[in-house]
Amino acid sequence: MQLKRFVGKPFLVAAGGHAIYLLLILLLHTHAGMSVIIFSFVPGIAVALAYGIRVALIHAVLLVLVENSLVLYVAGVDPFTAFISAGNLAGICALLIMSGVVGYLHDLRVHLRAALKRSTENEQKLAESEKDFRAMFNLSSEGLFLVDLETGLFIAVNKAMRDLFGYTEDAMLTLGPIDLTAADVRDNPRASYQMVREGKEVVNVETVPIRRDGTQFNALVSILPFTWRGTKVAYGSMRNVTLLKEYQEQLQKKNREILDFTNMVTHDLKNPLAGLKGVCRMMQTNAAVNADEDLRETIALGGETLDYMQALLNDLLDVSRLEAGTGKLERERVNVQDIVDKAVARITLGTRDNPPRVESDVNIEVQADPAALSKVFMNLVGNAADYMGDRPDPKITIGVSSHNGRPEFFVRDNGVGIPPENLEMIFDKFKRGDNVKTTTKGTGLGLAITKGIVEAHGGAIRVESEVGAGSTFSFTLS
């Protein structure tokens, strides 16, 4: 490779220059430093430009030393004097300086070429990325758009967006989201785009857009800050949820009908049940007077069955209200410890053969419906007591911890636990554990009601359990 550099065309040009220089020296019988610069340096530029500074320096130093020394030696100067002649020194210095300049220019050209190449590659990648983005943008079945945050106008809309409104692309690019929103709800998109200008994301905001023909529809819009061709814009998506809203309204109507029916049935059954319970109490009194123990026990069993039916009716009514979303929560500032103490006192733990020991430490205030929150703790504590099994030291612990920055309440027991296959359906209606025998008759609605109450408060409930070690129910409130 190095050999090719020295036998290339630039080297031949340089050699030709030196040959002319030697010829003039022989003809004129003189020697001057300028001649070195003219006939040695100029050809050397070709070498520097072609091969870089290193080859140029080697080329210059070797040839100049050889030429000048040879010429002076031929003219009768001794070898040492010829080697250190002023012409040599001047030529070498000039060559070194000028070769350095030429080398710098060469390196600069190399760097500029590399930068230009990188710039071209980046432009190609950007073009390919934009092409891919446009392909996904246009193929999406969801309405997608870009909005200039300065002008408030669309700068790009996909086919689904154009079909949604009935405009051509050119027509839509002269409009903005505010222009396509019903007048009475335009404050919502204005607030949303202001949030995007501040660098925030807006997710699933309800709006009422207007089509070209003047009809309106319900939509959910999500918008986020986006950089498009070096400019900050809003990138958004729009979904037509008119049918979904209609289905929701139909479902709510059906739920109200179910609730009305449940209320009617509950009301119609409560009065006969109350009458039957009164009859049972009278019969128990007569049996006690007549010392008829068998009859008294039979009547007591009938009374328990009536109590169970009453509880079932109440639970069905609670579930119907929660599912229909008609149950109103009367929120107020309450101390959870007070709620827990009252809830535990209302549960007949003492009637069990081996009642569990209850420990609680929830001295914290929250915004909640006192009656609903009391029912949550009654259901969880009662459920824990029912599934203690034959534990010699049954224990229920009620406490509070932190979960995702919010207080999370828990009810933990050391009972029989819940099999893994039952965990997923533990909050379903009419589901009861079958891994332990219990004398308490439950409706299978307690945990479903508890879940409904927690979610109505904007919270969530979960359970962790290990068979043979116990279960922990945890829930949050908004």
Side-chain angles (χ1 to χ4, degrees):
M1 186 67 184
Q2 296 296 330
L3 180 60
K4 290 181 180 179
R5 287 185 174 180
F6 280 96
V7 299
K9 290 182 180 179
F11 182 77
L12 294 177
V13 174
H18 291 295
I20 296 172
Y21 166 66
L22 290 173
L23 181 60
L24 289 175
I25 292 298
L26 294 174
L27 291 175
L28 299 176
H29 298 284
T30 182
H31 176 74
M34 284 302 297
S35 64
V36 177
I37 297 174
I38 295 172
F39 295 103
S40 295
F41 169 67
V42 174
I45 293 178
V47 178
L49 290 176
Y51 303 120
I53 183 64
R54 292 183 181 178
V55 177
L57 287 175
I58 295 172
H59 169 271
V61 172
L62 291 178
L63 290 183
V64 171
L65 286 175
V66 170
E67 288 173 1
N68 283 347
S69 300
L70 180 60
V71 170
L72 293 178
Y73 179 73
V74 171
V77 181
D78 63 276
F80 180 75
T81 304
F83 181 75
I84 62 172
S85 66
N88 272 354
L89 296 178
I92 291 172
C93 291
L95 282 170
L96 290 175
I97 294 171
M98 298 307 292
S99 296
V101 173
V102 173
Y104 172 77
L105 294 175
H106 175 270
D107 292 343
L108 181 61
R109 183 183 66 171
V110 171
H111 289 307
L112 288 176
R113 282 183 175 178
L116 180 61
K117 182 180 179 181
R118 288 194 298 269
S119 177
T120 303
E121 291 174 349
N122 289 337
E123 288 179 359
Q124 291 176 347
K125 291 179 180 178
L126 182 61
E128 292 174 359
S129 177
E130 183 174 329
K131 182 179 178 182
D132 293 340
F133 172 78
R134 281 193 173 276
M136 293 186 292
F137 185 81
N138 290 319
L139 290 174
S140 174
S141 60
E142 197 168 90
L144 301 179
F145 57 89
L146 296 176
V147 175
D148 188 326
L149 291 175
E150 294 294 330
T151 64
L153 299 178
F154 292 113
I155 56 177
V157 289
N158 70 346
K159 184 179 183 302
M161 190 73 173
R162 298 193 297 270
D163 293 344
L164 197 57
F165 285 90
Y167 285 96
T168 64
E169 183 173 12
D170 291 339
M172 285 205 72
L173 296 184
T174 63
L175 302 170
I178 307 299
D179 302 319
L180 301 178
T181 304
D184 56 336
V185 292
R186 287 185 175 179
D187 288 341
N188 289 342
R190 287 193 182 102
S192 297
Y193 283 99
Q194 182 57 38
M195 291 178 64
V196 175
R197 290 186 185 95
E198 296 170 0
K200 301 175 183 177
E201 296 183 6
V202 178
V203 181
N204 289 339
V205 174
E206 291 190 21
T207 186
V208 183
I210 306 175
R211 297 187 179 94
R212 184 184 179 186
D213 58 10
T215 59
Q216 299 181 0
F217 61 96
N218 299 104
L220 287 179
V221 176
S222 296
I223 320 167
L224 54 84
F226 189 71
T227 300
W228 174 253
R229 295 177 178 174
T231 303
K232 295 292 185 181
V233 300
Y235 173 58
S237 66
M238 178 178 290
R239 285 187 294 145
N240 186 348
V241 294
T242 302
L243 290 177
L244 179 62
K245 293 279 288 186
E246 292 176 357
Y247 292 151
Q248 287 178 338
E249 290 174 358
Q250 293 175 9
L251 181 61
Q252 289 175 356
K253 181 180 178 181
K254 293 296 182 183
N255 284 337
R256 287 193 294 269
E257 292 175 355
I258 293 172
L259 179 61
D260 292 341
F261 174 76
T262 305
N263 284 332
M264 180 188 68
V265 171
T266 302
H267 181 269
D268 290 346
L269 289 177
K270 274 186 175 181
N271 291 334
L273 284 176
L276 286 173
K277 290 176 71 174
V279 172
C280 283
R281 284 193 293 269
M282 292 177 58
M283 292 178 67
Q284 276 188 314
T285 302
N286 292 334
V289 171
N290 297 325
D292 191 338
E293 188 63 23
D294 292 338
L295 179 60
R296 191 184 67 80
E297 290 181 357
T298 301
I299 296 172
L301 182 61
E304 291 178 0
T305 302
L306 292 174
D307 289 339
Y308 171 76
M309 292 181 65
Q310 182 72 54
L312 179 60
L313 288 174
N314 291 336
D315 286 350
L316 282 172
L317 184 59
D318 287 340
V319 168
S320 299
R321 287 172 177 169
L322 289 169
E323 290 184 345
T326 58
K328 294 183 179 180
L329 296 176
E330 301 294 336
R331 293 193 182 217
E332 59 182 77
R333 199 72 180 171
V334 296
N335 186 288
V336 180
Q337 186 65 58
D338 294 340
I339 297 290
V340 169
D341 291 343
K342 294 176 182 178
V344 172
R346 293 176 63 185
I347 301 174
T348 56
L349 298 176
T351 61
R352 291 168 168 81
D353 294 336
N354 186 19
R357 177 165 50 94
V358 179
E359 295 181 355
S360 62
D361 183 10
V362 283
N363 190 20
I364 182 176
E365 290 189 348
V366 296
Q367 201 77 16
D369 185 310
L373 186 58
S374 177
K375 192 155 196 172
V376 168
F377 282 107
M378 286 179 63
N379 286 343
L380 293 178
V381 173
N383 187 75
D386 289 343
Y387 291 91
M388 279 296 175
D390 298 327
R391 290 287 184 272
D393 56 343
K395 179 181 177 182
I396 300 174
T397 304
I398 307 171
V400 61
S401 60
S402 179
H403 182 72
N404 294 332
R406 294 196 298 176
E408 183 179 54
F409 303 96
F410 62 86
V411 176
R412 181 180 298 123
D413 65 69
N414 61 346
V416 297
I418 305 169
E421 61 270 17
N422 292 345
L423 285 175
E424 292 185 2
M425 59 181 182
I426 195 67
F427 295 105
D428 292 349
K429 295 187 289 292
F430 304 109
K431 297 294 182 182
R432 301 198 70 209
D434 54 5
N435 58 326
V436 64
K437 293 181 179 180
T438 173
T439 58
T440 303
K441 292 183 178 180
T443 64
L445 293 171
L447 291 179
I449 292 172
T450 298
K451 183 174 183 287
I453 293 174
V454 168
E455 291 179 348
H457 279 82
I461 187 168
R462 59 192 179 93
V463 60
E464 297 174 342
S465 186
E466 182 180 349
V467 175
S471 305
T472 300
F473 286 83
S474 305
F475 66 93
T476 57
L477 303 174
S478 65

